[in-house]
């Protein structure tokens, strides 16, 4: 209830702004409610398992509310389940910003998969691939997605010139 009221105040404030404003509001996990999940039969343990018995159970236990709202266009509609990795794509799309590099790549991935989790891939049509990372062959697009994420977060950022050219230009300008 407090989060709902806080979001309402934030939206009311943003409605009055002349500057274009986008708000993304989401949870990253179910709220900690102690033993209530077990007592009501919703879960077997106090926390949801990482590997679920079915895609439906994975969505029921891991999907959290997401609102993306713009003071120009209102709420983003019909997003369905969204993996956190796709948030930049949805936020920029709501803002009316087209970025042909990384967010363009994310848009292409979003057309193929609405959920990319280490234990589950889920297509927009609801087709599930559980334990996909343990299979001998995986979709080359997912392989590229994983490699790009690893490179940018932990690697030597070799993909930066192709996917984030504006950051490379800033680095070159600062080192010259």
């Amino acid at each position: 209830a407090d989060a709902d009221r806080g979001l309402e105040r934030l939206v009311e404030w943003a409605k009055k702004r002349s500057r274009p404003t986008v708000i993304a509001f989401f949870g990253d996990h179910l709220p900690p409610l102690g033993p209530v999940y077990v007592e009501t039969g919703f879960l077997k343990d106090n926390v949801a398992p990482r590997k679920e018995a079915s895609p439906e159970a994975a969505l029921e236990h891991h999907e959290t509310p997401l609102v993306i709202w713009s003071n120009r266009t209102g709420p983003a509609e019909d997003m369905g389940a969204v993996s956190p990795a796709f948030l930049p794509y949805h936020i920029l799309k709501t803002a009316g910003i087209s970025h042909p590099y990384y967010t363009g790549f994310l848009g292409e991935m979003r057309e193929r998969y609405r959920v990319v989790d280490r234990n589950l891939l889920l297509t927009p049509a609801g087709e599930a691939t559980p334990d996909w990372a343990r299979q001998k062959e995986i979709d080359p697009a997912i392989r590229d997605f994983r490699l790009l994420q690893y490179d940018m977060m932990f690697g030597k950022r070799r993909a930066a010139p192709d996917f984030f050219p504006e950051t490379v230009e800033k680095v070159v300008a600062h080192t010259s």
Side-chain angles (χ1 to χ4, degrees), residues 3 6-7 9 12 35 38 42 54-55 74 81 89 91 93 98 109-111 118 126 137 155 157:
L7 176 59
R9 280 193 319 269
E12 289 304 316
V38 176
F42 181 67
S54 69
Y89 167 74
I91 292 167
K93 185 176 171 186
S98 175
M109 289 300 301
R110 175 72 174 148
E111 289 177 17
R118 66 179 169 195
E137 290 191 32
R157 301 175 54 91

Side-chain angles (χ1 to χ4, degrees), residues 147-169:
L147 290 172
L148 178 60
Q149 282 190 322
Y150 183 87
D151 176 48
M152 294 308 296
M153 292 190 311
F154 308 111
K156 296 183 178 180
R157 301 175 54 91
R158 295 183 196 276
D162 293 330
F163 285 94
F164 306 95
E166 64 279 0
T167 62
V168 174
E169 292 167 8

Side-chain angles (χ1 to χ4, degrees), residues 7-23 69-75:
L7 176 59
E8 181 181 31
R9 280 193 319 269
L10 184 60
V11 167
E12 289 304 316
W13 168 82
K15 282 180 181 178
K16 298 171 189 165
R17 289 180 52 107
S18 59
R19 187 174 184 179
T21 304
V22 174
I23 297 170
W69 178 89
S70 163
N71 67 346
R72 298 289 186 256
T73 59

